[in-house]
């Protein structure tokens, strides 16, 4: 990880951390920071009528993205969208059922894959890129704008099952029973996800995050096949056109060995840690190679009080002096009290 000299540092302290520099204070943002725990989000969601209308309306997506910045002054905004925009833009039907999550038509074999487009429909991605440009224009220079995509493995699990399942068994079975189809699906997702991230970067995103929310269900060999190799290829395709691109990978549930191999193979600038990660061990293994992001337990944010303060202090002590971006170990939960988010920010910023 290359550090820059002080006079060349970006104004954003998150981007400073992504170069390997240790900022003067710990930068902070939260996964799902624009969402259902905020009353202003719930009001706009009701006005939009449905979740996809919220995602595909550039003005609505911009407003939702900016809401937590206005309220909390986080050091980064993250584009409001969804990882399943990619399969939707390939031609898959997509709906979101209230209280049940996304629904797609399950993909069973290579014939189903061949019926999809090989490129992303600009009618789907265009509004997302327009929102990125609008958001970047609305943010101060010191606030980073993060784009994102789902990792090929995680997106494939939803495409194959048609929904989230407890251990993503349908996708795991497909990888064993029909490897040619499964590998072709991963390859397709690598290629179009690279285009999707490049579109966000070109529209004004300062960095991008790759969410591998289901990497934790994979055995070590499958982790190499389904997480490390696709993410490494995806990063390579993005960097081939934008060598300066700053990229964060979040392999939720990864073991220390898996996380270390991912860092070494992919060349990402940072890795997100879920709340189960052994921070001192991760720091020893990869802290000198990449920035570390995370990893407060989202339940600690619900609990609040002295236990929240203690969890934050322990986290910051473990990563003191490292290139660290404070975040949760997964997305903020809808039932989280706003007062506890305010408590967290006071603690982090006053540490």
């Amino acid at each position: 990880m290359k550090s820059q000299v002080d006079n060349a540092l970006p104004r954003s302290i998150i981007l400073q951390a992504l170069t390997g520099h240790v900022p003067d204070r710990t930068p902070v943002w939260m996964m799902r920071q624009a969402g259902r725990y905020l009353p202003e989000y719930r009001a706009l969601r009701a006005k939009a009528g449905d979740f996809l209308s919220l995602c595909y309306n550039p003005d609505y997506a911009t407003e939702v993205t900016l809401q937590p910045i206005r309220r909390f002054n986080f050091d980064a905004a993250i584009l409001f969208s969804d990882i399943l925009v990619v399969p939707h833009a390939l031609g898959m039907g997509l709906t979101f059922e209230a209280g049940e999550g996304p629904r797609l038509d399950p993909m069973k074999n290579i014939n189903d894959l061949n019926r999809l487009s090989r490129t992303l429909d600009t009618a789907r991605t265009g509004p997302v890129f327009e929102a990125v440009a609008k958001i970047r224009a609305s943010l101060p220079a010191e606030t980073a704008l993060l784009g994102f995509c789902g990792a090929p493995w995680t997106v494939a699990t939803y495409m194959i099952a048609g929904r989230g399942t407890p251990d993503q068994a349908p996708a795991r079975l497909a990888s064993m029973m029909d490897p040619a189809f499964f590998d072709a699906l991963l390859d397709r997702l690598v290629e179009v996800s690279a285009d999707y991230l490049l579109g966000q970067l070109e529209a004004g995103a300062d960095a991008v995050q790759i969410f591998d929310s289901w990497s934790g269900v994979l055995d070590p060999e499958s982790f190499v096949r389904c997480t490390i190799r696709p993410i490494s290829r995806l990063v390579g395709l993005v960097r081939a056109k934008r060598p300066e691109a700053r990229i964060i990978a979040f392999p939720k549930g990864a073991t220390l060995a898996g996380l270390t191999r991912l860092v070494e193979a992919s060349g990402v600038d940072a890795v997100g840690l879920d709340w189960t990660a052994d921070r001192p061990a991760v720091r020893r293994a990869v802290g000198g190679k990449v920035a570390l992001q995370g990893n407060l337990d989202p339940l600690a944010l619900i609990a609040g009080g002295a236990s929240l303060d203690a969890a934050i202090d322990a986290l910051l002590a473990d990563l003191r002096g490292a290139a660290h971006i404070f975040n949760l170990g997964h997305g903020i939960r809808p039932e989280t009290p706003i007062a506890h988010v305010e408590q967290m920010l006071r603690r982090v910023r006053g540490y």
Side-chain angles (χ1 to χ4, degrees):
M1 182 169 56
K2 296 179 181 179
S3 182
Q4 299 180 0
V5 296
D6 288 345
N7 61 7
L9 287 173
R11 289 178 63 181
S12 161
I13 59 173
I14 281 184
L15 295 181
Q16 289 178 23
L18 292 178
T19 69
H21 180 78
V22 180
D24 292 337
R25 64 174 178 84
T26 301
V28 56
W29 68 280
M30 294 191 306
M31 288 182 280
R32 295 185 189 155
Q33 65 188 25
R36 289 176 289 171
Y37 74 108
L38 293 176
E40 55 266 44
Y41 169 85
R42 295 193 297 269
L44 190 58
R45 169 70 174 78
K47 181 180 178 181
D50 64 82
F51 181 75
L52 285 177
S53 295
L54 198 59
C55 289
Y56 286 131
N57 181 309
D59 291 330
Y60 286 169
T62 297
E63 172 60 22
V64 170
T65 302
L66 295 176
Q67 285 173 349
I69 304 303
R70 295 194 196 104
R71 184 183 277 270
F72 302 115
N73 194 29
F74 287 118
D75 294 303
I78 184 164
L79 168 70
F80 181 81
S81 188
D82 193 86
I83 64 171
L84 298 183
V85 163
V86 165
H88 198 208
L90 291 176
M92 288 194 84
L94 173 64
T95 59
F96 282 81
E97 303 295 333
E100 297 185 10
R103 296 289 183 271
L104 303 101
D105 296 329
M107 176 176 289
K108 297 179 175 64
N109 52 45
I110 194 69
N111 293 328
D112 290 341
L113 177 60
N114 287 338
R115 281 192 281 270
L116 296 182
S117 174
R118 299 198 68 87
T119 58
L120 297 172
D121 182 357
T122 56
R124 301 290 187 203
T125 59
V128 176
F129 301 152
E130 183 181 344
V132 171
K134 285 177 175 286
I135 296 162
R136 182 62 271 173
S138 302
L139 290 172
E142 62 269 19
T143 304
L145 174 57
L146 307 179
F148 72 91
C149 73
W153 158 250
T154 286
V155 175
T157 66
Y158 287 98
M159 294 174 74
I160 291 170
R163 59 190 297 174
T165 62
D167 58 1
Q168 301 299 47
R172 290 161 59 206
L173 280 171
S175 72
M176 301 172 192
M177 298 176 68
D178 195 347
F181 153 62
F182 182 78
D183 290 341
L185 174 57
L186 287 184
D187 287 344
R188 179 82 56 89
L189 288 171
V190 166
E191 292 163 4
V192 298
S193 297
D195 291 339
Y196 188 52
L197 292 183
L198 284 164
Q200 294 176 53
L201 290 163
E202 289 161 8
D206 298 299
V208 291
Q209 176 157 306
I210 302 169
F211 285 89
D212 212 352
S213 305
W214 287 101
S215 61
V217 302
L218 297 167
D219 63 77
E221 183 178 346
S222 297
F223 186 85
V224 172
R225 176 189 179 193
C226 301
T227 287
I228 293 178
R229 289 175 185 163
I231 288 178
S232 298
R233 283 192 57 220
L234 174 52
V235 171
L237 288 174
V238 171
R239 291 259 175 79
K241 293 188 176 179
R242 292 187 71 101
E244 79 289 356
R246 297 298 177 186
I247 303 173
I248 306 165
F250 177 54
K252 183 176 180 290
T255 64
L256 178 61
L259 195 69
T260 302
R261 293 185 70 179
L262 175 63
V263 167
E264 292 172 347
S266 67
V268 294
D269 299 289
V271 286
L273 312 178
D274 68 48
W275 69 90
T276 68
D278 182 335
R279 291 186 298 265
V282 171
R283 182 174 182 176
R284 288 192 297 271
V286 300
K289 300 174 183 177
V290 292
L292 304 177
Q293 180 175 276
N295 68 331
L296 185 71
D297 188 337
L299 292 183
L301 199 54
I302 294 175
S307 65
L308 174 58
D309 286 344
I312 291 168
D313 290 351
L315 194 168
L316 293 174
D318 284 342
L319 298 179
R320 183 200 296 269
H324 173 224
I325 300 167
F326 189 97
N327 207 312
L328 305 183
H330 201 221
I332 184 172
R333 296 186 176 222
E335 66 270 31
T336 303
I338 288 173
H340 294 182
V341 178
E342 293 168 342
Q343 176 189 348
M344 176 194 77
L345 291 171
R346 286 194 301 270
R347 197 76 178 184
V348 173
R349 289 169 174 165
Y351 185 80

